[in-house]
Amino acid sequence: MGSTVSDAIRVTHLDQVIDGRDVPGERLIEVRNPGRRDEIVGTVVDGTVDQVDDAVAAAVGASAAWAATAVAERIALLARVGDEIDAHAEELATLVARENGSVRAIIRRELIGAANAFREVGEGLADKLAPQDHPSDAPGQFVRIQKVPYGVVACIVPWNAPLILTANKIAPALAAGNSIVLKPSPFAPLGVTTIGRIAASILPPGVVNVVNGGGEVGSTLTGHRDVRKVSFTGGGETARHIMRQAADSLKGVHFELGGNDPAIVLDDADLQVSVERIVESAFRRAGQVCFAVKRIYVPRTHAEEFRRLLVERVNGITVGDALDERSSMGPVNNEGQLTKIRDLLESTIAQGRDVRVLGSKVNPETWENGYFVLPALVLDAQADDEIVREEQFGPILPVIAYDNEEEAIAMANDTEYGLCSSVWSRSTDRALVVASRIEAGMTIINNHLFSHTGVRQIPFGGWKQSGIGWEGSPHGIDEYLQFHSVDVQSFPETDG
Ligand code: NAD
């Protein structure tokens, strides 16, 4: 085992933080290890409606001074948050692997991204926030356009990649000069609460507040009239609820939602490399990633070879405890996920599809104690199958054969989702033509994970029901800024 005894026995309790103070609560949420359900990883407070009110009031109280703080100072403080995350990276990697279920190597990479998000958010920001003056011919007249924060932003995050999703949301919201109330998911609140607490300890009191809890706390927060904007990452159903809640006070929403990403493999693709990279994307975090390959389209002429390579590669996946270095894939995060994935698998088998359950168990003796699922492939999926139409958000991957590119593009676009996508071809020109016809916020060519430049430059977001607005890149900060324009005119000169 790669784990140590101290990894397994340590129980973490974290209070909420409101106005710079620890806020305990009477009720606690118990966080269990999805790979060892009898192990309590830690507890957080199950927050109350009153505590949400307190958190919003603290954020309101802190917002004017934070907005007036020089950009350079805000950026310097946020960079310190990134450094502090780095300083605790190993401890956090173990904690989050235990509460989330993804293998520790993945969480380590996530932590690097999270720390960088705080350090890099300031790049070019001073120029971007500088007021722009537009002169006129008339004496004494000019127009000044300023970009200013909203005030209080509610930041609500899910459990699946909790640290990076939190960092990508709160770093720009804060850099822009907003104060925030952060609500982690009760399925993985410990790492996110820790990041919130780190930020709260470095920034002035009230600028960062963390409340814990589930739907009721979230709903109170998103409906609060003093919250000026909601930035939410999660599922479509919750987003619809939030939009209805936000309607009463007409607040803005920024949504990063689910995806059903197609991978379109063209007939000149390097099949071996494509399979390797598609599997890397689709089974990372046991498939619980919003922008993962969720359906593959392959030319019928190459389908047999592609399926053979895919089966061979997926069969090499080792499923086990997140802290065991032998595991390449951990458990799914919670019981709801397990049930949903098992039901989907069973109904696809009952439909008569060629389903292959592959991979191996690292810890067969403790298998039933965790939410473990072996990776599966559906080798002869059809366009209208549930496994193709729904976001599976788990380790089952359908392969659909196509006869021509037109058909592949049409099938890829026949969905209410539009997050990410990929095209696989030795010809960049050919791939770019296909990419330009995909209805999605993002397309990656010959991979389904972003390059280093992609991570820094690409506005992350989805079309259709995959989202509203953009995160990351130099553009993401715009979600947290509004205009304040001043049209300066003067009195006519009057004599004596
Ligand atoms: P979820 O919508 O169930 O929960 C997300 C957050 O919303 C949690 O903090 C939850 O407590 C809170 N919440 C629940 N009910 C609420 C309510 N009524 N009002 C306000 N907040 C409420 O989603 P999940 O199961 O945690 O995450 C999985 C989903 O998130 C998947 O669909 C996945 O694709 C999507 N996701 C999208 C992205 C992206 O960037 N596009 C990233 C990760 C996950």
Side-chain angles (χ1 to χ4, degrees), residues 291 420-424 442-450:
F291 79 106
C420 192
S421 52
S422 54
V423 182
W424 305 74
M442 302 164 287
T443 302
I444 307 173
I445 290 173
N446 296 332
N447 212 326
H448 208 102
L449 287 172
F450 292 106

Side-chain angles (χ1 to χ4, degrees), residues 1-3 7-8 36 93-94 97-98 103-104 321-325:
M1 286 276 293
S3 62
D7 286 337
R36 312 175 202 169
T94 300
R98 286 174 66 212
V103 295
R104 193 159 36 180
D321 193 288
L323 298 185
D324 192 322
E325 305 297 338

Side-chain angles (χ1 to χ4, degrees), residues 54-287:
D54 293 347
V56 175
V60 169
S63 66
W66 180 243
T69 302
V71 179
E73 194 180 328
R74 294 205 299 254
I75 291 170
L77 290 170
L78 289 168
R80 274 181 53 202
V81 175
D83 292 345
E84 198 63 16
I85 291 172
D86 262 353
H88 294 283
E90 207 38 45
E91 202 182 308
L92 264 167
T94 300
L95 180 70
V96 177
R98 286 174 66 212
E99 67 169 342
N100 163 281
S102 298
V103 295
R104 193 159 36 180
I106 295 274
I107 310 283
R108 285 196 183 106
R109 265 182 269 157
E110 187 184 346
L111 274 157
I112 295 171
N116 285 344
F118 283 97
R119 282 189 292 248
E120 292 170 1
V121 71
E123 282 174 17
L125 192 61
D127 286 345
K128 189 168 185 128
L129 296 188
Q132 285 184 348
D133 285 350
H134 299 271
S136 78
D137 293 338
Q141 289 193 17
F142 66 100
V143 164
R144 172 165 294 177
I145 298 177
Q146 295 170 294
K147 286 182 178 169
V148 298
Y150 280 88
V152 179
V153 178
C155 298
I156 301 185
V157 292
W159 49 264
N160 66 317
L163 305 174
I164 188 70
L165 296 173
T166 299
N168 283 343
K169 205 175 277 313
I170 76 173
L174 292 164
N178 300 281
S179 53
I180 64 157
V181 180
L182 170 66
K183 197 204 81 63
S185 163
F187 290 114
L190 296 166
V192 174
T193 302
T194 304
I195 289 193
R197 290 175 60 84
I198 288 174
S201 71
I202 292 172
L203 273 51
V207 173
V208 175
N209 306 277
V210 185
V211 287
N212 288 111
E216 194 192 358
V217 164
S219 191
T220 308
L221 186 56
T222 55
H224 201 294
R225 58 178 301 114
D226 290 337
V227 168
R228 300 285 176 223
K229 180 136 192 182
V230 177
S231 181
F232 167 79
T233 301
E237 269 316 300
T238 315
R240 276 182 272 277
H241 179 88
I242 291 174
M243 211 162 184
R244 284 190 284 267
Q245 285 279 98
D248 277 344
S249 51
L250 291 174
K251 56 174 64 74
V253 292
H254 169 207
F255 287 160
E256 296 286 348
L257 309 178
N260 191 1
D261 295 6
I264 303 181
V265 180
L266 302 186
D267 59 14
D268 66 344
D270 179 328
L271 294 189
Q272 182 88 49
V273 174
S274 304
V275 161
E276 181 62 36
R277 294 180 182 174
I278 285 173
V279 169
E280 191 63 36
S281 157
F283 294 96
R284 206 165 38 117
R285 299 180 182 276

